[in-house]
Amino acid sequence: FLRSMRATLIPALAIPVSVIGTFTATYFLGYSLNILTLLALVLAIGLVVDDAIIMLENIHRHLEMGKPRMQAARDGAAEVGFAIVATTLTLIAVFIPVAFLSGRIGALFNEFGIAVAVAVMISGFVALTLSPMLCSRLLKAHVREGATPHDGDDDHVKRTGWDGKMHDFYERWLRHSLAHRRLVLAGMLVVAGLTVALYRVLPSELVPTEDRGLVFNLVFAPEGSTLEYTDRYLQQAEAIYRTVPEVQGQFAAGGLGFGGPGRVTDGFIFVRLKPFEERKRSQQQIVQSVFGRMLSIPGVLAIPINPPSLGGGTGRPVQFVLLAESYDQLQSSMGVLMAEAQKLGYLVNTDTDLKLNKPQLEVRIDRDRASALGVSVSDIGSTLQTLLGGREAGRFKRGNRQYDVMLQVPSADRAAPATIEQLYVRGNNGLVQLASVVQVSEKVSPRELNHFNRVRSATFTANLAPGVTIGQALDDLKRIAKDKLPAGVRTDLAGESREFAESSGGLNVLFLIALAFIFLVLAGQFESFLHPLTILVSVPLAVVGALASLWAMKMSLNIYSQIGLIMLIGLVTKNAILIVEYANQRVARGIDVIEAVVGAATIRLRPILMTTLSTVFGVLPIALGLGAGAESRKPLGVVVVGGLLFSTVLTLVLVPVVYSILARYALHAKPAAKPGPTAQRELPEASAPTAP
């Protein structure tokens, strides 16, 4: 844009200064250098040069008027100083609330928000101090054709080449839009409607599934199965993974417990994949390819899943809780929910913690007969515990080794319930067979009775088929509960499902708080409540562009894309601030509102395009999503790039249109507006008619 390699050094110096300052601030705040702080610095590279670019371009514009370098630096810096302060405070107002998020999401993004806010603050300071000094020393004098020395405005300076064609086209387009303001405002309402539609259409989840080079496979055997039975089918699942060329190694185990007693009916397999650059398929594609083969294993339920990207747990993502006054009501309601959930087709391994499927043997003692035979109840209990459960009867040594002597019936005999009746206990007149004093019957019992928030509860759990988001599953389950379950049954969420709901609601509130912060900051700077409204009309345009980009790229709304939306608020308002602030300066010099905003938008076209492109190219590597684990960062980059490009094009029209409407009310409310530094200096030279 400026046709000078020397000029690129001036904004480029803001990058190392901001990075060093950010490292220093994070160190003194006790933060560490991790993937989130590095992500913040990558995003900040495109941001920290924006203020310096605005300063550089405006000083270069004054040089084109024929001013000496020192005077051009002073006048240009004074003219855009207010705008740079406003844009810097706006971005800080957006990122500071991010640093105060609570929960696991807050712990994830606290350092991110602080790192970006510090980098932006330092870049604003550099733009106001170092950049004007460097411009006064490094820039070459360049007088544009038609310029007059010390000209306070360049409306009448002739632009040549593609620069002139671009400005001429934009001015014609802008004047045509100002002549049809109602049509432009109607289009803005349509865009706002698209925002709501896209928000409902987009799938939602907690975080995208990352390629971590690891597959976790669950294996569930029927209740009552032995460890040998589970191990046999675990080996069949292992054999399937041995046929996958991307598998580097695997580890299988059965009967282990995570935070509690293990169950012999449960097994798992950890599958380690080859490094990302050595395989042609992603982790998600591999899971999808073996999904059907695992489900086809007879006798067990084997499910390959992608490990959660946030946290290290292996629990099921869908955890839907039912609350009621009695377990009978819970059991009937859970049966309805399970039946309807099966019809959805994408919920895998549906289960509940309230079920009567645990086999048990009930031993009833004939106390009268046992008393007549001289057999005590405690003797019967200790006999069953010793012979069926096992008891250490003693120890013996052989050589230098010691062995435990276990008293227990052989495992083959313990597999049949009839073994209990064939055991003997000591009575008054010798040994007594248990069959004469006990009755054994086979029954089932609940595995466990649970409470949630001190209320009787039953939790429905499920895994998701590949490609299905947790938001879709929870929406369908809530609809089923509302339509099919009785009125006395309430619902709640647990585990990852609860965290998803809380994080989504918290980030939506944070979005509104960021808007309120920006409005208050701008209202204090402009000393008006109307100009901040003019600036904030660009936010819906950015949101539509961001959501449309996610929809086109087949991505979801998650915590990363929502953080990108919050970040986008501060980015898109920068362009509007440049137009509104300079239009106010021109109105203060007595120029008509329409001519003032047309001239301001045309003059600020070049810095707006320069800062937008620098930010887009700075974030583009994140949006491309290259490398392993980029699935989570990619939505953030897509939101910023898509929202910026879409909003910049429409902001160049919508902001001047809204300003032309609201500025007249601002003039009536404050007829004696205080001119800025540039207006005070150039006011004696202006000979334009008075403002209406």
Side-chain angles (χ1 to χ4, degrees):
F1 280 93
L2 304 181
R3 302 184 182 93
S4 173
M5 292 299 295
R6 184 183 299 181
T8 60
L9 296 175
I10 298 174
L13 286 174
I15 298 176
V17 175
S18 299
V19 170
I20 294 173
T22 304
F23 281 157
T24 305
T26 53
Y27 172 78
F28 282 108
L29 290 173
Y31 294 141
S32 61
L33 188 64
N34 51 49
I35 192 66
L36 267 302
T37 52
L38 290 176
L39 176 63
L41 289 176
V42 172
L43 289 171
I45 288 176
L47 300 179
V48 298
V49 298
D50 284 0
D51 293 335
I53 288 175
I54 294 171
M55 180 66 71
L56 168 65
E57 191 278 336
N58 201 58
I59 293 175
H60 186 272
R61 183 174 67 87
H62 280 266
L63 282 175
E64 291 178 323
M65 299 177 191
K67 296 181 180 181
R69 287 188 300 182
M70 189 62 70
Q71 183 181 355
R74 286 198 301 265
D75 295 348
E79 193 173 74
V80 297
F82 180 87
I84 290 176
V85 171
T87 55
T88 301
L89 292 179
T90 298
L91 281 172
I92 293 175
V94 168
F95 285 107
I96 289 299
V98 175
F100 294 97
L101 282 171
S102 60
R104 188 151 41 147
I105 308 303
L108 191 67
F109 284 101
N110 283 347
E111 300 176 8
F112 175 87
I114 291 295
V116 177
V118 170
V120 170
M121 182 173 59
I122 295 175
S123 71
F125 176 76
V126 170
L128 293 172
T129 55
L130 183 62
S131 296
M133 184 274 293
L134 293 176
C135 288
S136 67
R137 299 297 180 183
L138 297 180
L139 291 185
K140 293 182 178 180
H142 175 70
V143 182
R144 202 180 339 164
E145 181 182 353
T148 57
H150 310 291
D151 191 2
D153 200 349
D154 65 349
D155 286 352
H156 306 291
V157 176
K158 183 179 180 182
R159 299 178 182 270
T160 59
W162 67 270
D163 190 20
K165 294 179 181 179
M166 178 181 66
H167 281 79
D168 292 341
F169 171 77
Y170 172 60
E171 185 174 352
R172 290 195 301 270
W173 182 29
L174 181 57
R175 290 187 181 276
H176 180 75
S177 301
L178 289 170
H180 302 82
R181 287 181 287 188
R182 293 184 179 180
L183 186 61
V184 173
L185 294 178
M188 184 184 70
L189 295 178
V190 173
V191 169
L194 287 176
T195 305
V196 178
L198 287 171
Y199 190 83
R200 293 182 176 179
V201 169
L202 282 173
S204 56
E205 58 184 340
L206 184 61
V207 290
T209 303
E210 295 181 359
D211 188 339
R212 306 174 69 179
L214 181 67
V215 177
F216 189 75
N217 203 111
L218 299 173
V219 177
F220 300 99
E223 288 288 342
S225 301
T226 62
L227 185 61
E228 292 78 9
Y229 180 93
T230 306
D231 181 66
R232 185 165 65 251
Y233 285 99
L234 272 173
Q235 295 180 22
Q236 293 186 27
E238 288 182 273
I240 293 177
Y241 282 111
R242 282 195 290 269
T243 63
V244 179
E246 292 87 356
V247 172
Q248 189 177 55
Q250 53 183 319
F251 169 80
L256 296 182
F258 297 95
R263 304 181 62 204
V264 297
T265 58
D266 296 348
F268 63 88
I269 306 174
F270 284 112
V271 182
R272 171 64 61 185
L273 304 179
K274 293 180 180 178
F276 181 79
E277 60 275 4
E278 296 181 13
R279 46 189 166 93
K280 297 181 180 179
R281 295 188 298 175
S282 66
Q283 169 190 305
Q284 296 87 334
Q285 293 172 328
I286 295 172
V287 168
Q288 196 163 6
S289 67
V290 301
F291 193 81
R293 298 171 65 184
M294 288 294 170
L295 289 181
S296 64
I297 298 178
V300 295
L301 181 61
I303 308 169
I305 61 175
N306 294 293
S309 302
L310 187 60
T314 56
R316 298 171 187 172
V318 178
Q319 298 186 32
F320 196 75
V321 183
L322 300 184
L323 306 171
E325 297 298 327
S326 66
Y327 286 109
D328 293 336
Q329 190 177 13
L330 283 174
Q331 186 174 356
S332 60
S333 300
M334 184 58 71
V336 175
L337 182 64
M338 294 277 288
E340 294 294 328
Q342 292 285 351
K343 298 178 183 179
L344 297 177
Y346 57 78
L347 294 177
V348 184
N349 187 26
T350 56
D351 198 5
T352 176
D353 58 1
L354 179 65
K355 52 187 177 182
L356 301 174
N357 66 342
K358 184 178 181 179
Q360 73 175 21
L361 297 177
E362 185 174 286
V363 180
R364 291 184 176 272
I365 302 175
D366 188 342
R367 294 178 178 269
D368 294 335
R369 185 167 178 78
S371 177
L373 295 175
V375 178
S376 67
V377 175
S378 61
D379 289 341
I380 296 174
S382 61
T383 300
L384 293 176
Q385 179 182 2
T386 299
L387 298 182
L388 300 182
R391 179 171 63 87
E392 183 180 338
R395 298 176 181 176
F396 78 94
K397 291 184 178 181
R398 175 179 291 179
N400 59 352
R401 286 195 167 189
Q402 178 176 286
Y403 299 90
D404 295 332
V405 179
M406 298 298 297
L407 182 62
Q408 191 180 52
V409 175
S411 58
D413 296 333
R414 285 186 281 117
T419 303
I420 296 177
E421 298 179 348
Q422 298 173 6
L423 300 177
Y424 287 85
V425 294
R426 187 177 298 276
N428 292 335
N429 299 320
L431 296 178
V432 177
Q433 190 175 9
L434 282 182
S436 61
V437 293
V438 301
Q439 293 179 351
V440 181
S441 59
E442 296 185 33
K443 291 189 175 182
V444 292
S445 65
R447 190 172 65 186
E448 54 190 5
L449 298 176
N450 294 297
H451 291 71
F452 188 88
N453 288 337
R454 296 180 295 180
V455 179
R456 294 181 177 89
S457 68
T459 303
F460 169 84
T461 59
N463 292 103
L464 298 171
V468 181
T469 61
I470 189 174
Q472 177 184 351
L474 293 181
D475 289 341
D476 289 339
L477 290 176
K478 290 177 181 178
R479 176 182 51 80
I480 293 173
K482 181 180 179 181
D483 298 340
K484 303 293 183 179
L485 300 187
V489 178
R490 293 173 289 140
T491 63
D492 210 326
L493 300 175
E496 185 177 337
S497 299
R498 188 179 188 89
E499 189 169 5
F500 161 75
E502 291 178 350
S503 64
S504 300
L507 289 174
N508 290 335
V509 173
L510 185 63
F511 185 87
L512 299 177
I513 292 176
L515 281 177
F517 272 29
I518 291 177
F519 180 83
L520 294 176
V521 168
L522 294 177
Q525 288 184 291
F526 284 95
E527 298 181 359
S528 168
F529 289 110
L530 294 178
H531 294 315
L533 291 177
T534 306
I535 294 170
L536 291 178
V537 296
S538 58
V539 173
L541 306 179
V543 174
V544 169
L547 298 181
S549 301
L550 290 175
W551 178 79
M553 299 294 291
K554 297 181 180 180
M555 295 181 179
S556 63
L557 271 175
N558 49 69
I559 60 173
Y560 288 96
S561 56
Q562 288 177 304
I563 289 293
L565 286 173
I566 296 171
M567 176 181 177
L568 201 58
I569 301 174
L571 295 179
V572 299
T573 54
K574 297 181 71 172
N575 298 336
I577 288 173
L578 288 176
I579 296 176
V580 171
E581 194 275 335
Y582 193 51
N584 286 343
Q585 291 187 28
R586 291 167 58 82
V587 169
R589 290 202 296 266
I591 302 176
D592 178 71
V593 171
I594 297 295
E595 294 301 322
V597 73
V598 169
T602 305
I603 293 169
R604 294 293 184 242
L605 175 63
R606 187 166 63 179
I608 287 175
L609 295 180
M610 293 169 68
T611 54
T612 299
L613 292 177
S614 67
T615 304
V616 166
F617 282 112
V619 182
L620 194 59
I622 300 175
L624 293 177
L626 304 177
E631 293 85 357
S632 60
R633 303 185 297 272
K634 189 174 181 179
L636 193 153
V638 169
V639 163
V640 173
V641 171
L644 265 182
L645 292 177
F646 186 81
S647 66
T648 298
V649 175
L650 298 184
T651 297
L652 290 171
V653 173
L654 182 60
V655 170
V657 169
V658 175
Y659 181 87
S660 67
I661 298 173
L662 297 182
R664 299 183 183 276
Y665 295 100
L667 288 173
H668 288 300
K670 191 177 181 181
K674 183 180 178 180
T678 305
Q680 289 180 347
R681 182 174 56 256
E682 296 178 354
L683 188 58
E685 301 176 10
S687 58
T690 57

